[in-house]
């Protein structure tokens, strides 16, 4: 029971502690990832914006892209309207009389994955920047992403998704996002980053492989597919997109992402045949072990209960229970007290995702 307890605790802790440390150490043996081309290398870019009922932000988004520090004549904006039922289309048509916008209309809502499958193959061999309608780009974001594509070995580059400091929940999530950012950067330095931030990433359109119906996390499967073709997937944390969404409004989003992560387990076979050791290492530490963490937490608690009876195990149980009580209480400050709540919310999202999968619930990722 002691062995099972310590093993369970270790497997829960590994993806949040030892795995980041290993990535950091391994990345020190690789050269920093820098753009291969000159800073003034500015290839034509196609900005792809999937849109579903985005009347509140689509006009601001178009103006935001056109205000970028990038030659306007090198930009083509394509908005894929996924059957919007609000004023999104009307706004786009008004803007298209002023700005160079191509509108691809889908007259019923078919879901983001079907939109990408339909639109990306039609963009030829262009460099496509995929960006969410609600995510506003920093002026230099496009320039920073484009510079990497001077290297023909680069197939995709992810930018950084940043939550605007609009409230306490975003501030409390800051440490988690910084850790995720650092891990992506270390992965890219070692080999290739595992996935991208869906709010902003660039890819060579001719490397896109159609996604299976029902795919949730396209920003993971698309980069993985590009890496498996032999191209690197890099990360540029200075190419920033900003949005407003925190823990209070993001639990449903996290559940959908967790469902997408369970979807991705079939990739284990692909990563083993032929063997892709770096991607397998990244996937195990940042995806697989996080998914199964709630079950090892339950096993650790069951083992701990069976070990009660000595001062050591009784005292350790006090700390064990205290961790859960603090996590359920959700103290807003300090961060040290908030961390258990945030951690438990992730595990809860994972369990809800499993429950939805077992019930056969289908979710369309818009």
């Amino acid at each position: 029971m002691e062995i099972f307890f310590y093993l369970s605790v270790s497997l829960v802790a590994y993806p949040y502690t030892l795995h980041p440390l290993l990535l950091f150490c391994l990345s020190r043996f690789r050269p920093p990832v820098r753009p291969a081309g000159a800073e003034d290398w500015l290839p034509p870019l196609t900005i792809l914006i999937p849109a579903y009922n985005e009347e509140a932000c689509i006009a601001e988004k178009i103006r935001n892209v056109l205000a970028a520090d990038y030659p306007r004549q090198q930009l083509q904006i394509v908005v894929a309207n996924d059957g919007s039922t609000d004023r999104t289309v009307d706004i786009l048509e008004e803007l298209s009389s002023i700005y160079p916008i191509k509108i691809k209309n889908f007259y019923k809502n078919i879901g983001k994955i079907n939109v990408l499958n339909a639109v990306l193959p039609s963009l030829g061999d262009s460099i496509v920047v995929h960006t969410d309608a609600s995510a506003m780009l920093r002026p230099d974001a496009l320039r920073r992403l484009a510079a990497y594509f001077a290297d023909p070995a680069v197939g995709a580059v992810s930018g950084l998704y940043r939550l605007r400091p609009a409230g306490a929940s975003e501030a409390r999530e800051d440490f988690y996002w910084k850790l995720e950012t650092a891990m992506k950067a270390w992965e890219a330095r070692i080999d290739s980053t595992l996935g991208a931030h869906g709010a902003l990433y660039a890819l060579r359109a001719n490397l896109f492989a159609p996604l299976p119906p029902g795919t949730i996390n396209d920003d993971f499967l698309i980069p993985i597919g590009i890496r498996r073709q032999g191209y690197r997937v890099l990360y540029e944390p200075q190419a920033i997109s900003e949005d407003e969404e925190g823990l209070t409004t993001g639990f449903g989003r996290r559940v959908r992402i967790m469902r997408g992560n369970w979807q991705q387990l079939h990739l284990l076979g692909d990563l083993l045949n032929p063997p892709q050791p770096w991607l397998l290492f990244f996937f195990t530490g940042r995806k697989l072990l996080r998914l199964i963490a709630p079950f090892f937490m339950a096993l650790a608690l069951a083992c701990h209960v069976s070990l009660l009876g000595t001062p050591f195990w009784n005292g350790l149980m006090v700390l064990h229970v205290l961790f859960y009580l603090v996590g359920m209480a959700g103290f807003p400050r300090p961060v040290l007290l908030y961390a258990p709540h945030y951690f438990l919310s992730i595990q809860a999202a994972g369990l809800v995702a499993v429950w939805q999968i077992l019930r056969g619930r289908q979710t369309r990722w818009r």
Side-chain angles (χ1 to χ4, degrees):
M1 282 299 167
E2 290 185 15
I3 292 173
F4 280 122
F5 174 80
Y6 288 123
L7 180 62
S8 299
V9 172
S10 298
L11 290 174
V12 171
Y14 171 83
Y16 301 98
T17 55
L18 185 57
H19 186 72
L21 180 61
L22 287 174
L23 288 178
F24 170 76
C25 294
L26 290 168
S27 69
R28 299 304 96 183
F29 295 97
R30 298 296 180 101
V33 178
R34 295 190 177 93
E39 291 185 1
D40 59 354
W41 192 77
L42 301 171
L45 299 179
T46 298
I47 313 300
L48 175 59
I49 307 171
Y52 175 75
N53 288 350
E54 304 289 358
E55 65 178 8
C57 61
I58 193 64
E60 182 185 2
K61 177 67 175 187
I62 299 298
R63 296 187 181 102
N64 169 255
V65 171
L66 293 173
D69 178 21
Y70 209 89
R72 186 173 291 192
Q73 66 273 17
Q74 293 291 84
L75 296 178
Q76 173 182 278
I77 299 177
V78 176
V79 181
N81 169 49
D82 185 18
S84 296
T85 56
D86 63 358
R87 294 191 62 253
T88 297
V89 176
D90 295 335
I91 294 171
L92 286 171
E93 289 177 349
E94 292 173 9
L95 292 172
S96 65
S97 65
I98 306 171
Y99 305 116
I101 305 170
K102 289 187 177 180
I103 307 170
K104 291 186 177 290
N105 273 318
F106 296 85
Y107 294 100
K108 66 176 182 177
N109 180 231
I110 61 175
K112 182 179 178 182
I113 301 307
N114 292 323
V115 167
L116 294 179
N117 283 343
V119 175
L120 276 170
S122 70
L123 300 179
D125 59 357
S126 60
I127 296 171
V128 176
V129 178
H130 174 284
T131 178
D132 289 344
S134 60
M136 300 301 150
L137 312 184
R138 292 282 182 90
D140 62 345
L142 298 180
R143 183 182 290 265
R144 289 182 178 276
L145 291 177
Y148 287 91
F149 289 92
D151 183 352
V154 173
V157 184
S158 174
L160 168 67
Y161 171 63
R162 175 174 289 173
L163 295 170
R164 289 175 182 158
S169 61
E170 286 87 349
R172 293 194 297 264
E173 288 186 271
D174 190 51
F175 176 78
Y176 172 80
W177 284 106
K178 285 182 177 178
L179 178 62
E180 289 295 295
T181 297
M183 291 174 69
K184 285 180 178 291
W186 296 332
E187 289 172 350
R189 185 166 173 174
I190 295 168
D191 182 81
S192 288
T193 190
L194 195 67
H197 287 299
L200 177 64
Y201 66 96
L203 70 152
R204 298 185 191 274
N206 59 354
L207 299 179
F208 170 77
L211 299 167
T215 294
I216 297 175
N217 296 352
D218 58 281
D219 55 357
F220 179 84
L221 290 183
I222 291 174
I224 283 289
I226 290 172
R227 181 65 189 94
R228 291 180 63 216
Q229 295 178 60
Y231 294 84
R232 292 190 73 185
V233 179
L234 302 180
Y235 188 56
E236 177 47 77
Q238 296 303 312
I240 298 172
S241 63
E242 296 180 308
D243 204 347
E244 294 181 4
E245 189 170 22
L247 181 66
T248 55
T249 59
F251 186 77
R253 173 178 57 85
R254 187 172 294 114
V255 170
R256 291 192 295 270
I257 291 173
M258 285 292 187
R259 290 188 61 211
N261 290 344
W262 280 105
Q263 245 183 16
Q264 295 156 12
L265 289 185
H266 76 275
L267 286 173
L268 280 172
D270 296 335
L271 299 180
L272 288 169
N273 185 29
Q276 300 186 53
W278 283 125
L279 290 186
L280 188 62
F281 172 61
F282 300 158
F283 186 86
T284 301
R286 197 152 67 83
K287 293 286 184 177
L288 176 60
L289 291 180
R290 289 185 181 185
L291 284 176
I292 59 179
F295 306 103
F296 282 111
M297 290 171 67
L299 178 60
L301 184 59
C303 292
H304 200 163
V305 170
S306 71
L307 292 167
L308 292 176
T310 66
F312 172 77
W313 290 106
N314 291 348
L316 193 60
M317 178 59 80
V318 173
L319 298 178
H320 199 156
V321 172
L322 186 63
F323 172 81
Y324 282 99
L325 291 176
V326 170
M328 288 186 287
F331 295 107
R333 291 182 176 81
V335 173
L336 184 62
L337 290 182
Y338 182 76
H341 175 72
Y342 192 79
F343 176 79
L344 291 182
S345 74
I346 294 174
Q347 310 315 314
L351 291 176
V352 172
V354 171
W355 175 247
Q356 291 182 354
I357 291 169
L358 293 176
R359 293 181 62 193
R361 177 176 172 182
Q362 299 296 317
T363 298
R364 176 174 288 173
W365 188 248
R366 301 193 188 280

